[in-house]
Amino acid sequence: MVDAFVVSAAMLPMGKHRSSGYAGLAAPPARQALLDAGVERGDIDAVFCGHSFGGMLTGQRIAKELGLGGIPIVNTDNACSGGATALHLAQKSVAAGEHDIVLVVGVDKLTQFGGGTLPLVAEDPEVRQGMVMPALYAMRARRYLYERKAEPADLALVSVKARRHGAMNPFAQYQKEVDVDQVLSSRVIADPLTLLQCCPTGDGAAAVVVVSEKVFAAMGRPGMRIGASVLHSGTATSGTRNMLRPEISYHSAREAYAQAGITAADLDTVELHDAFSIAELVYYEALGLCEEGGSLEFLRSGETTFGGSVVVNPSGGLLSKGHPVGASGVAQVVEMFWQLTGVAGDRQVPDAKIALTHVTGGGISGFDHGACAVHIFERAD
Amino acid sequence: MTLLEPLPDLEEIRALNPDGTELLGSRCDSCGSGFFPRRQLCFECGADALRDVELGHRGVLYSYSRVELSSARPTPYTLGYVDLDNGVRVLADISVPEDLLVPDLPVALTTDPAGKWSFAPAVNPAEETDEN
């Protein structure tokens, strides 16, 4: 098996880019990633493009802008895990010796829906009943408050941290700090979750170039080795489920740690799927960053912010950076690339060597989530 | 060579038994798993021997949320996960104000004059119904 490396990374500042289409959003970061890697168009062996709402042939429409053609282009939809799924396929193709240089793109344009909650597929019985993503996470939050004897103000601390990190990130959709009162007094979306505890809708695109070990060595650039790449689907059950122990993330993370030969304690920084405030707390535990039941204390301890032992969502996370669903999995990797190559500026995690990214993709009944992807990266010079 | 037929969409057809007193679901003859809403394939064991069964009308409210913003239907509405006494989890409308709710509250099926079903706090949760 060949080791795969990320050798360049670029993304668009996230926001409401209403006057751009999918190709217009994704072409600049894709082009920049190629330039940064120093590869010519003809060097690219394949393109993997993650998106949810781009329609047919999204990857090809982007490739056309760059004059890329005559190679395999694969479009992947896995809800919010689409971009990470594209990276997973890229890593597999390099590891298998099929390809040496692969472009990975994640893109989505949510402003096309004119606001509101993410449109889910109405074939699903729970969606017909009125299930929307904020409602699902709100039920997680309600259960968390009940079982952990926590308060809504505790949840708000996640948003406060996310915004503090995002304020240092010129690529974030929200770059303004907020306090607990502002979070709690913002509009209720699905009780107990308020607007500032929900990731914004917006548009964005991110791209990375993945290369084989041989190519990476020849390039002589800093980058990161993909130490683990894990993709799981959910497992359906008609019975009860502990919403505070999302097993798809739990199992994906354990598999990733085993693949990379590390433990959660080795991580310097993590980008996890904080689509809603409650998610970050639940995922601290699922990823093994803290003990089961210890997430609130862990957040309060400051261990997950700058100066702590594992900086979680230095980019501002989905809550602050933004969450154009198919783009997020790749955008997380872009942030980790900047962190591990030491170019993250004001929000640099000192001497970051080992990083993890985690996304889930939800929206169908019977599952904890439909998809989950976990990647682990190690600094490589 | 088997001529196959697609699975019809059962969801909209019927959620309640004929007299509207119990949720109608499916049970798998092979492994005994219960499902709501009704379905034709058992995703627990893979069998296709499912039949309609009454799933009861009582359960416990696992969690809930009053939804104020939704692309799915007009707001506000309150959704909850109800764990039926037989272990099946159902996403249901909850037809009482949120301040009357708490997780782990015993709830029971209720229908309005128009036949729309939802769950509400059980009046006598401890009292087992023996009206058969």
Side-chain angles (χ1 to χ4, degrees), chain A residues 21-112:
Chain A
Y22 272 72
L25 292 169
R31 190 166 180 276
Q32 191 63 48
L34 298 186
L35 285 170
D36 289 353
V39 296
E40 299 294 326
R41 292 183 306 183
D43 299 332
I44 303 291
D45 296 323
V47 179
F48 293 93
C49 173
H51 72 94
S52 275
F53 302 105
M56 286 191 293
L57 303 174
T58 296
Q60 284 84 340
R61 300 202 311 271
I62 296 160
K64 181 180 113 180
E65 295 299 315
L66 307 177
L68 281 174
I71 53 171
I73 296 181
V74 181
N75 294 290
T76 62
D77 153 38
N78 248 339
C80 312
S81 295
T85 300
L87 178 68
H88 176 72
L89 295 177
Q91 183 273 335
K92 274 186 128 56
S93 75
V94 170
E98 275 174 50
H99 300 309
D100 275 319
I101 303 178
V102 180
L103 174 66
V104 178
V105 181
V107 56
D108 254 319
K109 179 179 167 74
L110 299 187
T111 54
Q112 67 182 296

Side-chain angles (χ1 to χ4, degrees), chain B residues 63-85:
Chain B
S63 193
Y64 55 91
S65 173
R66 190 183 71 257
V67 183
E68 303 267 1
L69 179 78
S70 172
S71 304
R73 54 185 268 206
T75 56
Y77 54 92
T78 299
L79 291 177
Y81 273 130
V82 174
D83 290 336
L84 300 177
D85 291 349

Side-chain angles (χ1 to χ4, degrees), chain A residues 117 125-126 128-132 138-139 142-143 146 187-191 236-243, chain B residues 9 11-12 34-35 44 62-66 68-71 73 77 79 81 83 87 89 93 98 103-104:
Chain A
T117 58
E126 287 193 351
R128 293 185 208 183
Q129 187 76 34
M131 180 62 92
V132 285
M139 284 195 272
R142 174 64 59 201
R143 191 73 198 182
Y146 171 73
R187 177 187 167 187
V188 175
I189 301 297
D191 198 64
T237 178
S238 64
T240 61
R241 182 186 283 287
N242 178 354
M243 288 181 93
Chain B
D9 187 343
E11 154 73 357
E12 296 293 346
F35 297 94
E44 301 284 357
Y62 177 78
S63 193
Y64 55 91
S65 173
R66 190 183 71 257
E68 303 267 1
L69 179 78
S70 172
S71 304
R73 54 185 268 206
Y77 54 92
L79 291 177
Y81 273 130
D83 290 336
R89 177 167 289 185
D93 274 36
E98 214 189 19
D104 288 348

Side-chain angles (χ1 to χ4, degrees), chain A residues 113-294:
Chain A
F113 302 115
T117 58
L118 200 65
L120 302 178
V121 177
E123 273 193 9
D124 185 86
E126 287 193 351
V127 174
R128 293 185 208 183
Q129 187 76 34
M131 180 62 92
V132 285
M133 293 316 287
L136 180 73
Y137 283 90
M139 284 195 272
R140 267 186 195 162
R142 174 64 59 201
R143 191 73 198 182
Y144 186 94
L145 296 181
Y146 171 73
E147 282 190 29
R148 303 290 168 77
K149 299 180 175 53
E151 298 292 333
D154 295 323
L155 302 177
L157 291 173
V158 174
S159 301
V160 170
K161 176 179 80 73
R163 287 296 202 98
R164 198 172 62 244
H165 291 185
M168 295 182 276
N169 185 359
F171 293 82
Q173 187 161 344
Y174 290 138
Q175 297 177 33
K176 242 172 72 186
E177 294 200 37
V178 294
D179 61 26
V180 169
D181 286 345
Q182 286 169 290
V183 175
L184 294 179
S185 61
S186 62
R187 177 187 167 187
V188 175
I189 301 297
D191 198 64
L193 299 179
T194 55
L195 180 66
L196 294 185
Q197 296 178 66
C198 306
C199 57
T201 50
D203 312 321
V208 299
V209 172
V210 176
V211 300
S212 62
E213 192 166 8
K214 182 181 70 189
V215 171
F216 182 73
M219 282 179 165
R221 297 166 186 280
M224 54 191 192
R225 188 176 78 89
I226 303 177
S229 178
V230 172
L231 176 67
H232 280 203
S233 78
T235 307
T237 178
S238 64
T240 61
R241 182 186 283 287
N242 178 354
M243 288 181 93
L244 304 190
R245 195 180 184 281
E247 90 279 347
I248 189 172
S249 294
Y250 184 93
H251 292 308
S252 301
R254 297 302 171 291
E255 195 175 310
Y257 294 140
Q259 218 178 81
I262 66 158
T263 69
D266 297 317
L267 296 169
D268 298 308
T269 181
V270 169
E271 286 277 325
L272 57 72
H273 193 90
D274 63 328
F276 301 88
S277 58
I278 179 62
E280 176 151 346
L281 291 163
V282 168
Y283 292 139
Y284 284 168
E285 297 177 27
L287 301 179
L289 303 180
C290 70
E291 292 173 358
E292 201 163 331

Side-chain angles (χ1 to χ4, degrees), chain B residues 102-116:
Chain B
V102 63
D104 288 348
L105 182 74
V107 289
L109 181 71
T110 163
T111 50
D112 70 7
K116 193 175 169 332

